[in-house]
Amino acid sequence: MKAHYQKLFAYNTWANDRFAEVIGQMKVPDTEILRLFSHIANAQVIWLERLQNQHNTVGVWDEYNAEKAIGMVKESSLSLETFVSQTEAFDNTMVYKNSKGHQFETAASDILTHVANHGTHHRGQIATLLRKKEIAPPASDFIFFVR
């Protein structure tokens, strides 16, 4: 199981880095693209904090400028890779409260799967917005990563 999540989060970092590069090169920042990329950063930070039994330090939809969002995505992506490489607790049930204060119990493996899928979903939204601006989004499908 560990090898699966190590590959999944190596992919997550790779894909996030590809989008960070395009966003960092945009001459005129796009507020919706930055809102979504900031959300990816926030979600990664929030879920990692939950996995580590820490209090959340960011809001789900806090927004940042390009430099801050890119830095947070890069740092949280690498932190998730580190967490996965150091944990053996994939089947552990994590108890946490969501952003509305409701308590849940979820297996760490399900949380990790969610985080990876969540990032893929929002990168897809960003790709659509880039296309509307006539900016080619990076190829970020998993198959491109494993090739």
Side-chain angles (χ1 to χ4, degrees):
M1 184 177 295
K2 179 179 251 183
H4 166 75
Y5 285 104
Q6 286 177 307
K7 183 182 265 186
L8 186 60
F9 280 93
Y11 160 70
N12 183 69
T13 298
W14 174 84
N16 281 338
D17 285 349
R18 295 176 62 87
F19 274 86
E21 184 177 333
V22 172
I23 291 168
Q25 292 174 355
M26 291 178 65
K27 294 187 182 2
V28 178
D30 180 282
T31 55
E32 184 62 10
I33 288 172
L34 287 177
R35 185 177 83 84
L36 290 168
F37 205 62
S38 295
H39 178 63
I40 291 170
N42 293 329
Q44 290 188 162
V45 169
I46 288 167
W47 284 109
L48 183 60
E49 288 171 341
R50 289 175 181 166
L51 287 164
Q52 296 173 327
N53 293 311
Q54 298 173 352
H55 294 288
N56 294 144
T57 58
V58 297
V60 174
W61 288 103
D62 290 354
E63 295 182 35
Y64 314 105
N65 64 28
E67 182 179 344
K68 174 78 171 172
I70 288 167
M72 285 181 68
V73 166
K74 286 180 176 285
E75 183 178 336
S76 60
S77 296
L78 293 174
S79 293
L80 282 161
E81 280 192 78
T82 300
F83 175 83
V84 167
S85 70
Q86 293 177 349
T87 192
E88 297 296 335
F90 296 101
D91 293 325
N92 284 9
T93 298
M94 308 306 297
V95 179
Y96 61 93
K97 291 184 180 180
N98 70 2
S99 60
K100 295 179 182 179
H102 300 119
Q103 186 167 303
F104 294 93
E105 296 181 15
T106 308
S109 60
D110 290 337
I111 290 171
L112 290 167
T113 299
H114 168 72
V115 173
N117 283 332
H118 178 266
T120 299
H121 168 73
H122 288 300
R123 286 189 301 270
Q125 291 177 309
I126 293 168
T128 298
L129 293 171
L130 289 169
R131 283 187 190 98
K132 286 182 180 181
K133 296 178 86 48
E134 298 184 359
I135 299 171
S140 62
D141 289 343
F142 182 77
I143 198 68
F144 291 108
F145 169 73
V146 296
R147 287 181 185 158

